[in-house]
Amino acid sequence: METPSDRHAYPAHWEADVVLRDGGTARIRPITTADAERLTSFYEQVSDESKYYRFFAPYPRLSAKDVHRFTHHDYVDRVGLAATVGGEFIATVRYDRINAHGMPASAPADEAEVAFLVQDAHQGRGVASALLEHIAAVARERGIRRFAAEVLPANTKMIKVFRDAGYTQKRSFEDGVVRLEFDIEPTEASLAVQHAREQRAEARSVQRLLAPGSVAVIGVGRTAGGVGRSVLGNLKDAGFTGRLYAVNKAFPTDVIEGSGVDGVPAHRSVGDIDPAEHVDLAVVAVPAPQVPEVVAECGARGVQGLVVVSAGYAESGAEGRERQRELVRQARTYGMRIIGPNAFGVVNTSPEVRLNASLAPEMPRAGRIGLFAQSGAIGIALLSRLHRRGGGVTGVTGVSTFVSAGNRADVSGNDVLQYWYDDTDTDVALMYLESIGNPRKFTRLARRTAAAKPLVVVQGARHSGIAPTGHAVRATRLPYATVSALLRQAGVIRVDTITELVDAGLLLARQPLPAGPRVAIVGNSESLGLLTYDVALSEGLRPKTPRDLTTLASAADFRAALEEALADDKTDAVVVTAMPVVGEDPTGDAELAAALSAAAATAPTKPVLVVHVELGGLAEALSAATSTGPNAPSRPTPAIAGTPEGAPRLIPAYPAAERAVRALSEAAKYAQWRRDAAEPGKVPEYDRVDEQGAAALISGLLAKEDDPRGTDLAPEDAHELLSHYGIDVRRALSAPDPDRAAEAARTLGYPVVLKTTAPHLRHRADLGGVRLDLADEDDLRRAYEDLTDRLGRPAELRPVVQAMAPRGVDTVVRAVIDPAAGAVLSFGLAGAPSELLGDTAHRLIPVTDRDAQAVVRSIKTAPILFGWRGAAPVDTPALEELLQRVSRLVDDHPEVVGVTLEPVVVAQSGLSVLGASVRLAPPPARDDLGPRTLPTAY
């Protein structure tokens, strides 16, 4: 199929799977000469009205000439794309390059006429919108900057597609036709539209998996036991509200015609189920070699999604990895999405659904926490901890939805984040991740989700340096602490263990966010209070001196002390410490729990936590003791993590001060991030930014290279690319001998610098490889002789001459694309501070003006920039502008995978970039910068 249509090779990189508005999927690919029959069949299924709208006249069938024209493209001036489901066309789009007179043209003409045709049965699914994104990306790649379209006024659906795309349009009306013209360069508005459509589509695709009206379990054994039979039993025991079907091709006739399996109708194939009954979800629990047959049957039956619990895929080696790729390709052919393979299953506790399509034998308690785990074993552990009331943290809430993605060959944590973002049943999102397949997208989605509800993440395999088995991703090159800091900048609450994950989640699910770090501590044990105080200090909180109520304190004493602490305007949160009471009249657990809950109700905007020691009864009592106290009328919505109006406010109790305080510290940091995010910085527009010129240069440089791993640019090419973004690198002239050095100095003008560029001596002034302030030719020749005498021959040293920069502070600016964090900007002082001490600050790209200010000030050696010990402060605004220019370069061009500016000498006025290197590589398949697309099958 993928053969050249005309004179250019088939552009396979234009192929993409996309999620449509209703949650189904389609494949977008270039149209080829082999598609003649598909195109004809597609056209025959289009209504006469749609044909009229496309051709402005009755056009019942395509002529042979039409078919040839619409299937023969050069992939430059004439391009056609098709959206396919099941291998058949459901929509097409094409562009033809035109000149200023509307006639066929070639480059440098930068305008094209675009036209769509969507099969009537698939109209309203967002197919045309997805095709517009992809055909615009193709056109930009081929040098086209503007689209024109002619539409009949009655074709309101097509006009709406163009109008809603977010591009700035010029509209005219002539001869009964509406003519639309618009630039196709991405704008802030068009990207916002694209991201909003992506969110709705991907959320809908997950919603179809989590709230099906019917479920078929394929691979149900005839006797008790086995994976399929267990899943079916779990679905029944949970009280699934929809229809259930048991499927096994080996079922005997008496099972099929009788009462089925445990009262569930039995069938040998999904295709045997009554066609009048829709099958929304299939749980596949057959051996891996039998899965392709099952997928084909499900696709033909119109099943919307699959949960594949079968193992034997990428986790088992190369053969399994190929089997996994084929599974995803096959399912997407039918428009189905997959959770798995090797998945533990999915759970939805909503009373309208009650879905337990998993291997969890017990339905989790319903609650407000969404849970995602890539590991089935970790998923079991998390469900168990959330379900348990005693012996640990109070089980103050349960689960709204649970997804165990297994090898996450298709549905990933990003998709589930899209679903949780506007899911009214989920207030807090907890995620256990072993890898991040599309880090740029994850940080974008995390930032948006965290602005609405807390997102707590623990990452496994973070120190191993390798991707987990079954996950086709690259390992990070950044230290764990750096990755953690970067994700925190996106609003992620990053924790180290699943215990901390649950601790933070339970606090956030039922307590308001603290307004600040000020913490009051009250309790009946001086020692436990002091321990809590010390932990709070170490976690960055501002604790007050603990108030000791003594061991004789009654429930009324606790209530009075808690109410007093909460009433203090200088208190943002309260930790209550409780030790077992020894005496003739010990305080009852239920009485104490009721007292604390009543006191907490007096200040509904301040969180309350309990540290209990060997008081399992108190933990149980606090779980049961609820309060629906009045909400403060002026309570700001952003200060509340999750508690819905009127919902019981439950107080979490922790068995150790460290766990309680750490959870509170994370909540405080997150609350501060929310406040900061409410007033985000801006990405300024600077002059001397030539995005198109840089893109053309990058394309030309990559075209010369065959290495898919990329290439380090020659200095002159790196300097030229940087100049397109207003970054000037001081000119350095080669000096292979003293005479050439003197000639270079005369060209540049004195004073000059003589330095080596040999890799082992670069930036090593301490070894004598840099000679500064050479005022004249005599100084230069003496320095040259001394340099070569001490360090080696000129051929080894590779000396260069550079004009002397104003004195200042030497700094280093870097940008890299990291597999686990995405695009990262780094800054530090050059030399020992950054290289030896690791004093480097990092920010996710794109960097705003506030980010740039923060990164300059966040390194420990920042005082040197601001006049330490009486020195003159340097020009930090110029430094911040440089950081943002580098950020813009990397953000605009995913091919730029590495930039190093070293040293950057920041003077009292201005700065000088003395050295620069740039690395390019072909853009990744998923860079989150182009049109919407699902990841390639792993």
Side-chain angles (χ1 to χ4, degrees), residues 148-161:
E150 294 187 343
V151 187
L152 290 176
N155 192 358
T156 55
K157 292 181 180 178
M158 199 67 247
I159 292 175
K160 188 175 187 299
V161 168

Side-chain angles (χ1 to χ4, degrees), residues 444-810:
R444 171 171 62 83
L445 299 186
R447 192 187 301 272
R448 187 193 60 188
T449 302
K453 57 188 68 174
L455 170 60
V456 192
V457 172
V458 61
Q459 186 170 358
R462 59 182 181 267
H463 296 305
S464 65
I466 59 173
T469 303
H471 294 217
V473 297
R474 295 172 295 168
T476 180
R477 294 182 292 268
L478 296 175
Y480 168 68
T482 300
V483 176
S484 179
L486 290 170
L487 290 182
R488 285 182 181 278
Q489 293 166 28
V492 175
I493 301 172
R494 184 72 175 267
V495 295
D496 293 330
T497 68
I498 60 172
T499 297
E500 293 177 355
L501 184 74
V502 174
D503 286 350
L506 293 175
L507 171 63
L508 292 163
R510 275 295 180 260
Q511 290 291 308
L513 295 175
R518 301 168 299 179
V519 180
I521 303 168
V522 299
N524 63 353
S525 167
E526 182 180 14
S527 298
L528 185 55
L530 290 174
L531 177 62
T532 305
Y533 177 90
D534 291 341
V535 175
L537 278 177
S538 66
E539 290 294 332
L541 298 172
R542 290 165 51 192
K544 300 181 179 181
T545 302
R547 178 178 177 183
D548 180 18
L549 305 178
T550 78
T551 57
L552 299 178
S554 65
D557 294 331
F558 269 96
R559 175 172 180 172
L562 179 55
E563 288 181 351
E564 183 179 341
L566 290 169
D568 187 350
D569 291 339
K570 297 179 180 179
T571 295
D572 301 312
V574 181
V575 177
V576 179
T577 61
M579 290 287 286
V581 176
V582 180
E584 294 182 357
D585 185 22
T587 301
D589 295 331
E591 184 183 359
L592 177 56
L596 296 178
S597 296
T602 64
T605 62
K606 296 182 179 182
V608 177
L609 300 80
V610 169
V611 176
H612 67 94
V613 179
E614 298 298 331
L615 286 179
L618 177 58
E620 288 282 353
L622 285 168
S623 291
T626 64
S627 172
T628 54
N631 293 327
S634 61
R635 180 176 59 180
T637 300
I640 303 301
T643 306
E645 294 296 327
R649 180 185 176 189
L650 302 173
I651 300 176
Y654 298 83
E658 296 84 355
R659 291 173 59 179
V661 172
R662 192 168 294 125
L664 179 59
S665 173
E666 294 295 351
K669 293 173 187 174
Y670 169 66
Q672 184 61 51
W673 181 89
R674 284 269 287 259
R675 289 189 287 271
D676 292 341
E679 299 180 3
K682 300 178 181 178
V683 178
E685 290 291 335
Y686 291 115
D687 58 2
R688 295 183 61 207
V689 172
D690 180 8
E691 184 177 344
Q692 294 184 20
L697 177 61
I698 290 169
S699 178
L701 292 171
L702 284 176
K704 301 175 183 177
E705 299 293 332
D706 297 326
D707 190 345
R709 296 172 298 179
T711 180
D712 293 312
L713 296 186
E716 57 272 18
D717 292 329
H719 298 174
E720 182 182 357
L721 176 58
L722 291 168
S723 70
H724 283 288
Y725 277 75
I727 302 170
D728 297 319
V729 183
R730 284 206 168 231
R731 190 179 177 191
L733 300 179
S734 177
D737 55 59
D739 292 336
R740 295 279 294 277
E743 181 181 348
R746 287 192 293 273
T747 300
L748 298 172
Y750 289 97
V752 297
V753 176
L754 176 68
K755 59 184 180 181
T756 68
T757 59
H760 65 289
L761 293 171
R762 185 173 296 164
H763 309 310
R764 293 299 306 275
D766 56 315
L767 297 181
V770 180
R771 306 301 171 89
L772 303 173
D773 274 331
L774 304 176
D776 52 36
E777 186 171 333
D778 290 340
D779 285 351
L780 176 62
R781 289 183 179 275
R782 281 194 298 270
Y784 199 101
E785 181 179 1
D786 183 58
L787 189 73
T788 53
D789 286 346
R790 292 183 56 188
L791 300 178
R793 294 175 299 171
E796 299 170 347
L797 302 181
R798 307 177 196 174
V800 296
V801 173
Q802 198 169 39
M804 184 67 190
R807 294 280 186 174
V809 178
D810 288 2

Side-chain angles (χ1 to χ4, degrees), residues 18 81 116 128-138 140 167 190 193-195 197-198 930-933:
V18 297
L81 301 179
F116 295 78
S129 298
L131 281 173
L132 177 57
E133 290 178 20
H134 283 261
I135 197 70
V138 167
R140 290 193 297 268
Y167 299 112
S190 69
V193 168
Q194 179 177 315
H195 290 159
R197 287 173 173 166
E198 172 195 63
R932 288 175 285 161
T933 177

